[in-house]
Amino acid sequence: MRSHFWNRSAALLAVAAMAACGGGGGGSSEGAADDAGEAAPAAAAVDPSTVGTISGMANFTGGMVPTMEAIDMSTEADCAAGYGADGPMAQNVLVSNGGLANVFVYLSEGVSGAPAASGAAALDQVNCRYTPHVLGVQSGQDIEISNSDNLLHNINATPTENRGFNISQPRAGITSTQRFAVAEVMVPVRCDVHGWMQAYIGVVDHPYFAVTGADGSYSIANVPAGDYTMTAWHEEFGTMTTNVTVTAGGTAEASFDYSGEMMGADVPMGEALVIEHGTNRIRVERTQ
């Protein structure tokens, strides 16, 4: 990881911009970025007789599973109590019975005329951790961000292609609605109050995406028959692609194999703004 400092004038402009994005005083807030616009209009309904399913696995196939660090939540006793005797652990690499969780899989080529998303996606803050750790949304789709902890969190999303936001939620029960206008994989999200809190949001311009579960599996339904390129993203292992052909009424299989040797790969991600309180400096951190 490397970082650089902005000059003073740029820092002042950034502080002003983030102050304008701050929020969270009532029970809920509508904080969608102004340039996000309305959700994309729905395309013609998909004929169910012409669609199929894509399913598969993200497998951890070789090498030692990286050991995740324990998270020190001693300053937030109520949060720490939610994890039992073992305490909270980092979520960078979660492997169970050979399956890798939190891999964002999506169709990256071949999609046209996709319908708009229905309903909102949800991102919560529970026991001082984002839930889910990796979230997929469609461009223009509402994201309802909630605080289930009765303490202060701030949600600092720093995309590259979209407009970011930095909002505060000082107590439990607050919900803020945000959205991203264009596709971007991935958008990092962090809490500046609790440095261990990180999440990632994958934004695509269609509904054909999924995040692998605890067992490494995923499924994407209602995909129009055709030939596609599929991409898988993981925060430590980078991206992988494969070709997949979907047939009407069929189930295509597309799996991805990861190994410990891939740890530290180049991972596409936006830049995180970090405020250094007490120095009045803003740092841009890039994860490499």
Side-chain angles (χ1 to χ4, degrees):
M1 179 179 291
R2 69 176 188 272
S3 63
H4 67 275
F5 288 97
W6 293 359
N7 60 38
R8 182 174 178 80
S9 60
L12 291 173
L13 287 172
V15 169
M18 285 194 294
C21 292
S28 64
S29 64
E30 295 294 329
D34 292 339
D35 62 351
E38 298 297 326
V46 175
D47 183 348
S49 67
T50 66
V51 300
T53 299
I54 305 172
S55 63
M57 291 285 299
N59 302 301
F60 190 86
T61 59
M64 294 289 292
V65 176
T67 301
M68 294 295 97
E69 296 181 358
I71 299 174
D72 181 5
M73 291 189 187
S74 58
T75 58
E76 300 290 2
D78 289 344
C79 288
Y83 296 96
D86 293 336
M89 305 295 290
Q91 297 180 285
N92 305 49
V93 179
L94 297 180
V95 176
S96 177
N97 295 322
L100 179 64
N102 291 326
V103 178
F104 180 62
V105 294
Y106 63 101
L107 298 185
S108 50
E109 294 182 17
V111 178
S112 62
S118 59
L123 180 65
D124 202 353
Q125 295 156 103
V126 182
N127 292 328
C128 294
R129 203 152 68 179
Y130 286 112
T131 302
H133 183 64
V134 176
L135 174 67
V137 300
Q138 192 169 348
S139 54
Q141 182 180 8
D142 284 347
I143 308 169
E144 294 182 351
I145 305 172
S146 303
N147 183 4
S148 292
D149 295 330
N150 198 27
L151 48 82
L152 171 67
H153 291 304
N154 82 293
I155 305 96
N156 184 356
T158 52
T160 299
E161 303 300 325
N162 288 277
R163 181 175 178 179
F165 55 86
N166 191 343
I167 58 176
S168 63
Q169 294 184 332
R171 62 181 181 275
I174 294 175
T175 298
S176 176
T177 301
Q178 304 288 329
R179 58 181 175 267
F180 297 109
V182 298
E184 181 172 351
V185 179
M186 281 296 232
V187 176
V189 180
R190 63 190 297 157
C191 174
D192 296 320
V193 181
H194 306 100
W196 62 80
M197 289 181 63
Q198 297 179 344
Y200 305 95
I201 302 176
V203 187
V204 293
D205 55 10
H206 56 72
Y208 310 123
F209 58 84
V211 178
T212 60
D215 63 351
S217 68
Y218 76 91
S219 182
I220 305 173
N222 298 318
V223 181
D227 297 322
Y228 301 96
T229 298
M230 172 171 279
T231 297
W233 176 99
H234 186 270
E235 64 186 280
E236 294 289 351
F237 300 135
T239 59
M240 302 175 67
T241 61
T242 189
N243 296 323
V244 60
T245 297
V246 178
T247 59
T251 298
E253 196 277 336
S255 293
F256 301 88
D257 294 333
Y258 296 87
S259 67
E261 289 73 21
M262 299 169 66
M263 191 79 170
D266 185 23
V267 180
M269 198 177 306
E271 299 173 342
L273 297 180
V274 180
I275 307 171
E276 292 195 339
H277 298 286
T279 66
N280 294 322
R281 294 191 294 184
I282 295 178
R283 189 172 75 247
V284 177
E285 283 194 354
R286 294 189 178 92
T287 302
Q288 298 290 338

PDB file of all heavy atoms in Angstrom, residues 226-244:
ATOM      1  N   GLY A 226     -27.292 -17.054 -24.483  1.00  0.00           N
ATOM      2  CA  GLY A 226     -26.271 -16.370 -25.253  1.00  0.00           C
ATOM      3  C   GLY A 226     -24.886 -16.676 -24.742  1.00  0.00           C
ATOM      4  O   GLY A 226     -24.703 -17.469 -23.799  1.00  0.00           O
ATOM      5  N   ASP A 227     -23.898 -16.063 -25.369  1.00  0.00           N
ATOM      6  CA  ASP A 227     -22.492 -16.239 -24.998  1.00  0.00           C
ATOM      7  C   ASP A 227     -22.021 -15.014 -24.228  1.00  0.00           C
ATOM      8  O   ASP A 227     -22.241 -13.868 -24.650  1.00  0.00           O
ATOM      9  CB  ASP A 227     -21.631 -16.425 -26.246  1.00  0.00           C
ATOM     10  CG  ASP A 227     -21.997 -17.687 -27.021  1.00  0.00           C
ATOM     11  OD1 ASP A 227     -22.304 -18.704 -26.364  1.00  0.00           O
ATOM     12  OD2 ASP A 227     -21.982 -17.641 -28.262  1.00  0.00           O
ATOM     13  N   TYR A 228     -21.335 -15.271 -23.118  1.00  0.00           N
ATOM     14  CA  TYR A 228     -20.923 -14.190 -22.238  1.00  0.00           C
ATOM     15  C   TYR A 228     -19.485 -14.396 -21.751  1.00  0.00           C
ATOM     16  O   TYR A 228     -18.957 -15.507 -21.754  1.00  0.00           O
ATOM     17  CB  TYR A 228     -21.832 -14.117 -21.004  1.00  0.00           C
ATOM     18  CG  TYR A 228     -23.286 -13.909 -21.323  1.00  0.00           C
ATOM     19  CD1 TYR A 228     -24.164 -14.998 -21.406  1.00  0.00           C
ATOM     20  CD2 TYR A 228     -23.798 -12.636 -21.527  1.00  0.00           C
ATOM     21  CE1 TYR A 228     -25.505 -14.820 -21.693  1.00  0.00           C
ATOM     22  CE2 TYR A 228     -25.148 -12.442 -21.814  1.00  0.00           C
ATOM     23  CZ  TYR A 228     -25.995 -13.535 -21.893  1.00  0.00           C
ATOM     24  OH  TYR A 228     -27.315 -13.343 -22.185  1.00  0.00           O
ATOM     25  N   THR A 229     -18.900 -13.278 -21.310  1.00  0.00           N
ATOM     26  CA  THR A 229     -17.680 -13.327 -20.511  1.00  0.00           C
ATOM     27  C   THR A 229     -18.070 -13.034 -19.079  1.00  0.00           C
ATOM     28  O   THR A 229     -18.815 -12.094 -18.803  1.00  0.00           O
ATOM     29  CB  THR A 229     -16.652 -12.287 -20.982  1.00  0.00           C
ATOM     30  OG1 THR A 229     -16.282 -12.579 -22.329  1.00  0.00           O
ATOM     31  CG2 THR A 229     -15.407 -12.323 -20.105  1.00  0.00           C
ATOM     32  N   MET A 230     -17.585 -13.866 -18.173  1.00  0.00           N
ATOM     33  CA  MET A 230     -17.873 -13.683 -16.749  1.00  0.00           C
ATOM     34  C   MET A 230     -16.579 -13.345 -16.031  1.00  0.00           C
ATOM     35  O   MET A 230     -15.518 -13.919 -16.309  1.00  0.00           O
ATOM     36  CB  MET A 230     -18.498 -14.959 -16.171  1.00  0.00           C
ATOM     37  CG  MET A 230     -18.662 -14.929 -14.664  1.00  0.00           C
ATOM     38  SD  MET A 230     -19.636 -16.346 -14.068  1.00  0.00           S
ATOM     39  CE  MET A 230     -21.280 -15.731 -14.399  1.00  0.00           C
ATOM     40  N   THR A 231     -16.674 -12.394 -15.101  1.00  0.00           N
ATOM     41  CA  THR A 231     -15.518 -11.976 -14.310  1.00  0.00           C
ATOM     42  C   THR A 231     -15.792 -12.241 -12.842  1.00  0.00           C
ATOM     43  O   THR A 231     -16.909 -12.051 -12.360  1.00  0.00           O
ATOM     44  CB  THR A 231     -15.213 -10.483 -14.523  1.00  0.00           C
ATOM     45  OG1 THR A 231     -14.864 -10.270 -15.892  1.00  0.00           O
ATOM     46  CG2 THR A 231     -14.061 -10.021 -13.643  1.00  0.00           C
ATOM     47  N   ALA A 232     -14.769 -12.684 -12.133  1.00  0.00           N
ATOM     48  CA  ALA A 232     -14.832 -12.869 -10.685  1.00  0.00           C
ATOM     49  C   ALA A 232     -13.816 -11.940 -10.031  1.00  0.00           C
ATOM     50  O   ALA A 232     -12.681 -11.839 -10.495  1.00  0.00           O
ATOM     51  CB  ALA A 232     -14.539 -14.323 -10.313  1.00  0.00           C
ATOM     52  N   TRP A 233     -14.234 -11.268  -8.973  1.00  0.00           N
ATOM     53  CA  TRP A 233     -13.388 -10.317  -8.246  1.00  0.00           C
ATOM     54  C   TRP A 233     -13.258 -10.745  -6.789  1.00  0.00           C
ATOM     55  O   TRP A 233     -14.249 -11.084  -6.143  1.00  0.00           O
ATOM     56  CB  TRP A 233     -14.002  -8.921  -8.307  1.00  0.00           C
ATOM     57  CG  TRP A 233     -13.272  -7.856  -7.522  1.00  0.00           C
ATOM     58  CD1 TRP A 233     -12.395  -6.943  -8.018  1.00  0.00           C
ATOM     59  CD2 TRP A 233     -13.376  -7.579  -6.119  1.00  0.00           C
ATOM     60  NE1 TRP A 233     -11.939  -6.122  -7.004  1.00  0.00           N
ATOM     61  CE2 TRP A 233     -12.532  -6.496  -5.822  1.00  0.00           C
ATOM     62  CE3 TRP A 233     -14.115  -8.155  -5.076  1.00  0.00           C
ATOM     63  CZ2 TRP A 233     -12.385  -5.968  -4.543  1.00  0.00           C
ATOM     64  CZ3 TRP A 233     -13.967  -7.644  -3.791  1.00  0.00           C
ATOM     65  CH2 TRP A 233     -13.114  -6.564  -3.538  1.00  0.00           C
ATOM     66  N   HIS A 234     -12.023 -10.706  -6.288  1.00  0.00           N
ATOM     67  CA  HIS A 234     -11.788 -10.960  -4.864  1.00  0.00           C
ATOM     68  C   HIS A 234     -10.788  -9.944  -4.346  1.00  0.00           C
ATOM     69  O   HIS A 234      -9.830  -9.582  -5.037  1.00  0.00           O
ATOM     70  CB  HIS A 234     -11.264 -12.379  -4.621  1.00  0.00           C
ATOM     71  CG  HIS A 234     -11.157 -12.720  -3.169  1.00  0.00           C
ATOM     72  ND1 HIS A 234     -10.008 -12.487  -2.441  1.00  0.00           N
ATOM     73  CD2 HIS A 234     -12.074 -13.252  -2.301  1.00  0.00           C
ATOM     74  CE1 HIS A 234     -10.209 -12.878  -1.188  1.00  0.00           C
ATOM     75  NE2 HIS A 234     -11.445 -13.329  -1.072  1.00  0.00           N
ATOM     76  N   GLU A 235     -11.002  -9.496  -3.116  1.00  0.00           N
ATOM     77  CA  GLU A 235     -10.215  -8.382  -2.584  1.00  0.00           C
ATOM     78  C   GLU A 235      -8.740  -8.689  -2.402  1.00  0.00           C
ATOM     79  O   GLU A 235      -7.915  -7.767  -2.358  1.00  0.00           O
ATOM     80  CB  GLU A 235     -10.789  -7.914  -1.250  1.00  0.00           C
ATOM     81  CG  GLU A 235     -10.721  -8.946  -0.139  1.00  0.00           C
ATOM     82  CD  GLU A 235     -11.433  -8.475   1.115  1.00  0.00           C
ATOM     83  OE1 GLU A 235     -10.852  -7.685   1.886  1.00  0.00           O
ATOM     84  OE2 GLU A 235     -12.598  -8.902   1.323  1.00  0.00           O
ATOM     85  N   GLU A 236      -8.365  -9.953  -2.270  1.00  0.00           N
ATOM     86  CA  GLU A 236      -6.953 -10.322  -2.117  1.00  0.00           C
ATOM     87  C   GLU A 236      -6.384 -11.011  -3.342  1.00  0.00           C
ATOM     88  O   GLU A 236      -5.180 -10.947  -3.587  1.00  0.00           O
ATOM     89  CB  GLU A 236      -6.776 -11.238  -0.899  1.00  0.00           C
ATOM     90  CG  GLU A 236      -7.069 -10.591   0.431  1.00  0.00           C
ATOM     91  CD  GLU A 236      -6.018  -9.564   0.832  1.00  0.00           C
ATOM     92  OE1 GLU A 236      -4.978  -9.468   0.166  1.00  0.00           O
ATOM     93  OE2 GLU A 236      -6.260  -8.854   1.831  1.00  0.00           O
ATOM     94  N   PHE A 237      -7.230 -11.677  -4.132  1.00  0.00           N
ATOM     95  CA  PHE A 237      -6.758 -12.502  -5.233  1.00  0.00           C
ATOM     96  C   PHE A 237      -6.955 -11.875  -6.603  1.00  0.00           C
ATOM     97  O   PHE A 237      -6.614 -12.478  -7.616  1.00  0.00           O
ATOM     98  CB  PHE A 237      -7.448 -13.869  -5.199  1.00  0.00           C
ATOM     99  CG  PHE A 237      -7.191 -14.643  -3.934  1.00  0.00           C
ATOM    100  CD1 PHE A 237      -8.223 -15.282  -3.270  1.00  0.00           C
ATOM    101  CD2 PHE A 237      -5.915 -14.726  -3.404  1.00  0.00           C
ATOM    102  CE1 PHE A 237      -7.995 -15.999  -2.106  1.00  0.00           C
ATOM    103  CE2 PHE A 237      -5.664 -15.439  -2.242  1.00  0.00           C
ATOM    104  CZ  PHE A 237      -6.701 -16.073  -1.582  1.00  0.00           C
ATOM    105  N   GLY A 238      -7.545 -10.676  -6.666  1.00  0.00           N
ATOM    106  CA  GLY A 238      -7.697  -9.993  -7.938  1.00  0.00           C
ATOM    107  C   GLY A 238      -8.859 -10.514  -8.753  1.00  0.00           C
ATOM    108  O   GLY A 238      -9.870 -10.977  -8.211  1.00  0.00           O
ATOM    109  N   THR A 239      -8.739 -10.447 -10.085  1.00  0.00           N
ATOM    110  CA  THR A 239      -9.833 -10.824 -10.971  1.00  0.00           C
ATOM    111  C   THR A 239      -9.456 -12.010 -11.848  1.00  0.00           C
ATOM    112  O   THR A 239      -8.291 -12.207 -12.192  1.00  0.00           O
ATOM    113  CB  THR A 239     -10.251  -9.655 -11.877  1.00  0.00           C
ATOM    114  OG1 THR A 239      -9.128  -9.243 -12.669  1.00  0.00           O
ATOM    115  CG2 THR A 239     -10.751  -8.477 -11.058  1.00  0.00           C
ATOM    116  N   MET A 240     -10.480 -12.789 -12.215  1.00  0.00           N
ATOM    117  CA  MET A 240     -10.354 -13.892 -13.155  1.00  0.00           C
ATOM    118  C   MET A 240     -11.530 -13.816 -14.108  1.00  0.00           C
ATOM    119  O   MET A 240     -12.604 -13.326 -13.734  1.00  0.00           O
ATOM    120  CB  MET A 240     -10.355 -15.241 -12.431  1.00  0.00           C
ATOM    121  CG  MET A 240      -9.278 -15.418 -11.388  1.00  0.00           C
ATOM    122  SD  MET A 240      -9.449 -17.003 -10.493  1.00  0.00           S
ATOM    123  CE  MET A 240      -9.090 -18.164 -11.815  1.00  0.00           C
ATOM    124  N   THR A 241     -11.349 -14.290 -15.339  1.00  0.00           N
ATOM    125  CA  THR A 241     -12.439 -14.295 -16.306  1.00  0.00           C
ATOM    126  C   THR A 241     -12.577 -15.674 -16.937  1.00  0.00           C
ATOM    127  O   THR A 241     -11.623 -16.459 -16.987  1.00  0.00           O
ATOM    128  CB  THR A 241     -12.232 -13.255 -17.420  1.00  0.00           C
ATOM    129  OG1 THR A 241     -11.020 -13.577 -18.136  1.00  0.00           O
ATOM    130  CG2 THR A 241     -12.129 -11.849 -16.856  1.00  0.00           C
ATOM    131  N   THR A 242     -13.789 -15.942 -17.419  1.00  0.00           N
ATOM    132  CA  THR A 242     -14.047 -17.179 -18.147  1.00  0.00           C
ATOM    133  C   THR A 242     -15.206 -16.930 -19.102  1.00  0.00           C
ATOM    134  O   THR A 242     -15.982 -15.985 -18.918  1.00  0.00           O
ATOM    135  CB  THR A 242     -14.389 -18.335 -17.177  1.00  0.00           C
ATOM    136  OG1 THR A 242     -14.424 -19.568 -17.905  1.00  0.00           O
ATOM    137  CG2 THR A 242     -15.719 -18.114 -16.492  1.00  0.00           C
ATOM    138  N   ASN A 243     -15.310 -17.761 -20.125  1.00  0.00           N
ATOM    139  CA  ASN A 243     -16.430 -17.681 -21.055  1.00  0.00           C
ATOM    140  C   ASN A 243     -17.510 -18.670 -20.643  1.00  0.00           C
ATOM    141  O   ASN A 243     -17.220 -19.767 -20.156  1.00  0.00           O
ATOM    142  CB  ASN A 243     -15.964 -17.989 -22.481  1.00  0.00           C
ATOM    143  CG  ASN A 243     -14.981 -16.963 -22.998  1.00  0.00           C
ATOM    144  OD1 ASN A 243     -15.107 -15.780 -22.716  1.00  0.00           O
ATOM    145  ND2 ASN A 243     -13.988 -17.415 -23.759  1.00  0.00           N
ATOM    146  N   VAL A 244     -18.772 -18.282 -20.861  1.00  0.00           N
ATOM    147  CA  VAL A 244     -19.881 -19.141 -20.491  1.00  0.00           C
ATOM    148  C   VAL A 244     -20.989 -19.004 -21.528  1.00  0.00           C
ATOM    149  O   VAL A 244     -21.244 -17.911 -22.037  1.00  0.00           O
ATOM    150  CB  VAL A 244     -20.411 -18.795 -19.076  1.00  0.00           C
ATOM    151  CG1 VAL A 244     -20.903 -17.359 -19.013  1.00  0.00           C
ATOM    152  CG2 VAL A 244     -21.497 -19.757 -18.639  1.00  0.00           C
TER     153      VAL A 244
END
